[in-house]
Amino acid sequence: MAELAGDLPGELVTEILDRLPVESLLRCRSVSKRWRGIIDSRDFVRSHLARSFESTANLTLFFRHSSSLYCIDLTSLLRHGGVAEMNYPLMCYSDQIRVLGSCNGLLCISNAADDVVVWNPATRKHKFLPYSAVEVRRSSVFSVCVYGFGYDERRDDYVLLRLVQLVTEPIESEVSIYSLKDNAWRRLKDMPYSLVYPRKMGVFVCGHLHWIMTRELVSDSANLLVAFDFRIEDFKVVDQPEGIDNKLDMDLSVLGGCLCLSINGNHMGVHVWIMKEYGLRDSWTKLFSIPQSEVARPLGFVRPLAYASNGRQVLVRQDSKNLILYDLETKGMERVDINGMPNSFEAEICLRTLVSVDDYGGYTKKKQQEAEEIENRTKR
Amino acid sequence: MATSRKVTLLSSDGESFEVEQSVAVESITIKDSIEEGSAGNPIPVPKVNSKILAKVIEYCKKHVESAKAEDRVDDEDLVAWDADFVKVDQATLFDLIRAANFLNIKSLLDLTCQTVADMIKGKTPEEKRKTFTIRNDFTPEEEEEVRRENQWAFE
């Protein structure tokens, strides 16, 4: 009559495992060899990742304050849980660490010595990047260095983009890209624009990394929304919402997979726009506004982090000091107080996934062998 | 016009169930075979016995009815109804998973798989093996090593 559950076919075991959080899955690896095989397989990691995007139940909020990193699960945060301090795989030399970006559960961080590590905090695996000297530095010249971390879908590869810019005439730039798969840096052609904000990392949305840039580094120059496209490995300008004043302070972020633009205007407060369909200018929609009294001027900003309550509320970082919950329906704001929160902080949202930092070695080698075989065959 | 059409489903142990076609086609498998004209009457449903088929039909009926209702309030009621629906013994739950998979009823598969996932989330590996009646094929040394790879997850 009722078959034993043990006879459940692989695809149904996978359907069930697919719905488990990472921590449970790590424990499930010791149930049996078959289960370990399923959980470690690339297909499973991929399907589990795809499913993660559909829920808000496996997001971690990371807070960085000087050289300390704290984390809290988003659901816990909304229930007034406390933060925990997190050990990270970098020497911090009691100096600042920087969070360079996060993507699909991988966090990229660096320290004062410019050591860079790609790290999956959920599986606690990490990989150090090889060192890459900056060629364009000149002594006694002020330079700016920012990064952007993202995923190249076409190559199934995670990449770190580094932008270095000398900000004294003649303005020079250096663009380098690191591929996790190749474990190597490559220099690309210089960027045709200048960075406006010296400390803002790139925002990854839809296969592109975004920064606010400008054509001429003079005061009162127009801000451009610039995207680095992984496919063509080049920069292009993205349309801003129509009718906005592009000389005001701007900040970029990502919310629910869509690009967000915060504009801090003269006395009009901060307006947050969201591009509902990437690349479509008409899809820019004003998401919400926060009155000037609630934000510092100048350079005060409001950065959306994540949706809450099924999209009815938005968790927002305000001026690096506060977390607030903005209710899109009532337009009300509520401060979120968390136990153990540092006074000032940077925040980064990160998924909890099984994505691996170091299973590319075998894959690349196999591809190389296949490529060589094809070459040999065509030579004959 | 076609809303009051009825079809008959035949379980693996020979019991007949007459249902509205709109309910039966919640199963993509049945829907496809009706559209291809290969269904026959009654429609045989091998692999699914009468006890499980009755439950599946109950689920589909409820969901088809709820889809017709306009109120958003029904959403929460439906979630509560679903939660009660899966309060069954483990063997029945696994049978429902198999049936939902065979009959290709996505929402039922989601519901039942999520239920099992939630059930095993906090369990130890040994308890999980019991739930799925799996034999532990690790040697004690191998199992210890796998545990050590993710030691913190066990604390």
Side-chain angles (χ1 to χ4, degrees), chain A residues 46-114:
Chain A
R46 213 168 307 196
S47 72
H48 185 263
L49 175 65
R51 193 179 286 279
S52 306
F53 293 129
E54 297 163 19
S55 96
T56 49
N58 39 23
L59 286 172
T60 304
L61 199 53
F62 282 93
F63 299 105
R64 184 200 69 79
H65 173 76
S66 114
S67 63
S68 298
L69 201 61
Y70 304 87
C71 71
I72 184 171
D73 164 57
L74 184 65
T75 322
S76 295
L77 180 153
L78 297 168
R79 293 198 193 133
H80 308 290
V83 292
E85 194 166 345
M86 188 100 186
N87 286 326
Y88 48 83
L90 264 185
M91 291 288 291
C92 73
Y93 307 114
S94 323
D95 207 335
Q96 286 219 355
I97 56 156
R98 288 198 292 175
V99 175
L100 308 181
S102 91
C103 183
N104 294 352
L106 298 181
L107 203 60
C108 194
I109 57 179
S110 74
N111 62 12
D114 284 331

Side-chain angles (χ1 to χ4, degrees), chain A residues 49-181:
Chain A
L49 175 65
R51 193 179 286 279
S52 306
F53 293 129
E54 297 163 19
S55 96
T56 49
N58 39 23
L59 286 172
T60 304
L61 199 53
F62 282 93
F63 299 105
R64 184 200 69 79
H65 173 76
S66 114
S67 63
S68 298
L69 201 61
Y70 304 87
C71 71
I72 184 171
D73 164 57
L74 184 65
T75 322
S76 295
L77 180 153
L78 297 168
R79 293 198 193 133
H80 308 290
V83 292
E85 194 166 345
M86 188 100 186
N87 286 326
Y88 48 83
L90 264 185
M91 291 288 291
C92 73
Y93 307 114
S94 323
D95 207 335
Q96 286 219 355
I97 56 156
R98 288 198 292 175
V99 175
L100 308 181
S102 91
C103 183
N104 294 352
L106 298 181
L107 203 60
C108 194
I109 57 179
S110 74
N111 62 12
D114 284 331
D115 298 323
V116 182
V117 79
V118 173
W119 176 42
N120 183 330
T123 63
R124 306 209 181 171
K125 298 247 169 77
H126 65 272
K127 177 177 181 154
F128 277 93
L129 267 56
Y131 177 70
S132 168
V134 174
E135 292 160 24
V136 83
R137 254 180 199 145
R138 296 198 300 270
S139 59
S140 73
V141 170
F142 182 60
S143 70
V144 157
C145 178
V146 296
Y147 292 83
F149 185 62
Y151 176 68
D152 181 350
E153 191 170 355
R154 204 179 34 131
R155 292 189 74 230
D156 185 27
D157 192 9
Y158 290 91
V159 294
L160 183 68
L161 198 67
R162 183 179 71 189
L163 308 179
V164 179
Q165 191 177 302
L166 298 174
V167 291
T168 342
E169 296 284 344
I171 295 181
E172 280 180 66
S173 71
E174 181 183 303
V175 179
S176 320
I177 190 167
Y178 168 81
S179 144
L180 192 66
K181 200 169 254 189

Side-chain angles (χ1 to χ4, degrees), chain A residues 345-361:
Chain A
F345 55 87
E346 273 176 11
E348 185 82 31
I349 274 269
C350 187
L351 268 177
R352 290 192 291 276
T353 72
L354 290 167
V355 173
S356 165
V357 298
D358 59 5
D359 72 345
Y360 290 104

Side-chain angles (χ1 to χ4, degrees), chain A residues 2-3 5-6 8 11-12 15-16 19-20 24 26-33 35-36 122-124, chain B residues 94-95 98 101 110 113-114 117 121 125 128-129 131-134 137-138 142 146 149-150 152-154:
Chain A
E3 295 166 48
L8 216 54
E11 59 176 23
L12 290 182
E15 279 281 351
I16 294 169
R19 290 164 164 83
L20 286 174
S24 296
L26 294 177
R27 288 194 293 265
C28 284
R29 288 180 78 245
S30 60
V31 165
S32 76
K33 289 184 182 172
W35 277 37
R36 183 181 58 173
T123 63
R124 306 209 181 171
Chain B
F94 281 105
D95 281 337
R98 273 185 271 262
N101 185 46
D110 276 342
C113 286
Q114 186 66 54
K121 218 184 280 192
K128 287 178 181 123
R129 287 183 203 117
T131 306
F132 287 81
T133 44
I134 301 173
D137 53 354
F138 285 122
E142 285 171 338
V146 178
E149 283 168 10
N150 308 113
W152 75 90
F154 289 91

Side-chain angles (χ1 to χ4, degrees), chain A residues 14 18 37-50:
Chain A
T14 303
D18 223 20
I38 292 176
I39 294 166
D40 289 351
S41 75
R42 287 181 70 112
D43 284 338
F44 180 76
V45 172
R46 213 168 307 196
S47 72
H48 185 263
L49 175 65

